[in-house]
Amino acid sequence: MFTEDQIERYSRHIILKEVGGKGQKKLLDGRVMIIGAGGLGSPIALYLAAAGVGTIGIADADVVDLSNLQRQIAHHTKDIGVPKVLSAKEKMEAMNPDVRVNVYHDWVSAANIHGIIKEYDFVIDGTDNFAAKFLINDACVLAGKPYSHGGILQFDGQTITVVPGESPCYRCIFPVPPPKDAIPTCSGAGVIGVLPGVLGTIQATEAIKYLLGKGELLAGRLLTYNALRMRFREVPIRKNPSCPICGESPTITELKDELDALNVCDMPQAKG
Amino acid sequence: MKLEVGLFAGLKCNNPELPCYGEREFSLEVPDGTTIGELRALLAIDPAIPLLTMVNSHHEHEDWVLKENDRVGMFPPIGGG
């Protein structure tokens, strides 16, 4: 079932008892959707491609900007002005020809997200705004799709894995998004370039473990990271009975866009 | 009563009347029976920001009543990527 090249390429996976030939086959048959092809999306896309995850979707409407390159390692200087999804696809396919990359050159919205995630086994949130983060949570909970949440800012990061029906979701922790401008999320506040590498590789690890069916997912515990103090904290989270989407009497029963949470920094005219 | 407070991911004490003004990790004297919600109001943290609050490593809600020497950690959501 493997070619000689594949046996060689994946040999360091195959010798792991938790992976083996069977596990590598699961990765090659696996389908992961990455939403956001920026700071978090770059290491996620590159590592999942290297690992031989057979079908990887990647969604982002943005184009590569010079100010992205300090951290968005899937994009090179020559890619400035190129759609991020095409730039990422080029690197992923160059890294591993076994991987099929489906690109969605669009922002996710209540109208399109279900169609984007439905064919995938696992979803990864690498977006840079609360509107998208809450929409991804809601879409994954309603579709019963496991996903990894990640967020970064300055020197801080957070990540949690959500297995709908089993573990708490993002709204169990934060029931509603903060209003726009309440929390800085973009160019104004800054981000240390290595931060998405730390958080993104954790998110990619969760996708790989999910596909393999091995280990323990980061479910029911929010992992927080501060790079300045080099400190990880694990915060145990319980399901919230009054969660607006996965609680006992949910108020969110269909997808809607959190317009108030839209971050103006994502709008092209606000770029400064 | 005295609390040990840690504010994370960009949060800080915004009340200029308090000795902890501008700080992220501090001890603070508060009235007995103060709840998590009352503490965040005292620290003048924007009430619109949803917070995850830990008390002695347990996740608690805003109406939780704090006790002497509790360690309180507050985490906002992080929206960047």
Side-chain angles (χ1 to χ4, degrees), chain A residues 109-208:
Chain A
S109 68
N112 69 12
I113 190 167
H114 184 72
I116 289 174
I117 66 172
K118 71 176 179 194
E119 299 296 326
Y120 293 88
D121 303 316
F122 191 89
V123 176
I124 303 185
D125 172 11
T127 63
D128 67 353
N129 66 88
F130 286 116
K133 291 189 182 305
F134 280 81
L135 180 68
I136 291 166
N137 181 74
D138 296 352
C140 288
V141 169
L142 292 179
K145 196 74 76 182
Y147 89 99
S148 166
H149 160 87
I152 53 167
L153 186 72
Q154 296 184 332
F155 294 90
D156 288 292
Q158 291 174 349
T159 177
I160 189 168
T161 300
V162 174
V163 183
E166 292 179 27
S167 76
C169 82
Y170 191 53
R171 283 193 194 261
C172 288
I173 313 173
F174 302 117
V176 293
K180 75 179 165 207
D181 303 332
I183 295 181
T185 65
C186 61
S187 54
V191 56
I192 191 78
V194 291
L195 182 61
V198 176
L199 270 294
T201 49
I202 291 172
Q203 293 185 276
T205 308
E206 291 290 280
I208 287 170

Side-chain angles (χ1 to χ4, degrees), chain A residues 56-136:
Chain A
I56 303 173
I58 188 157
D60 200 313
D62 212 355
V63 297
V64 178
D65 184 86
L66 180 57
S67 67
N68 300 151
L69 301 184
Q70 144 269 22
R71 65 194 182 286
Q72 300 186 11
I73 59 167
H75 312 307
H76 298 175
T77 305
K78 70 169 176 59
D79 300 316
I80 292 168
V82 173
K84 288 183 179 177
V85 288
L86 296 182
S87 163
K89 176 184 167 83
E90 181 204 347
K91 313 308 186 308
M92 294 158 77
E93 290 176 345
M95 185 176 264
N96 188 348
D98 288 345
V99 176
R100 196 177 67 188
V101 181
N102 299 327
V103 300
Y104 304 82
H105 187 208
D106 207 349
W107 302 120
V108 290
S109 68
N112 69 12
I113 190 167
H114 184 72
I116 289 174
I117 66 172
K118 71 176 179 194
E119 299 296 326
Y120 293 88
D121 303 316
F122 191 89
V123 176
I124 303 185
D125 172 11
T127 63
D128 67 353
N129 66 88
F130 286 116
K133 291 189 182 305
F134 280 81
L135 180 68
I136 291 166

Side-chain angles (χ1 to χ4, degrees), chain B residues 6-69:
Chain B
L7 304 176
F8 298 94
L11 292 181
K12 58 185 190 321
C13 169
N14 294 324
N15 184 345
E17 309 288 310
L18 295 178
C20 60
Y21 180 58
E23 290 186 35
R24 298 167 198 280
E25 286 193 44
F26 47 86
S27 299
L28 184 66
E29 198 64 40
V30 298
D32 284 359
T34 296
T35 64
I36 288 173
E38 289 162 350
L39 174 64
R40 73 173 282 172
L42 183 65
L43 298 173
I45 295 170
D46 182 347
I49 299 176
L51 289 186
L52 165 63
T53 304
M54 303 294 298
V55 180
N56 306 327
S57 307
H58 293 280
H59 175 200
E60 304 294 358
H61 294 286
E62 296 237 323
D63 53 1
W64 182 261
V65 179
L66 298 164
K67 298 188 307 294
E68 170 83 6
N69 292 325

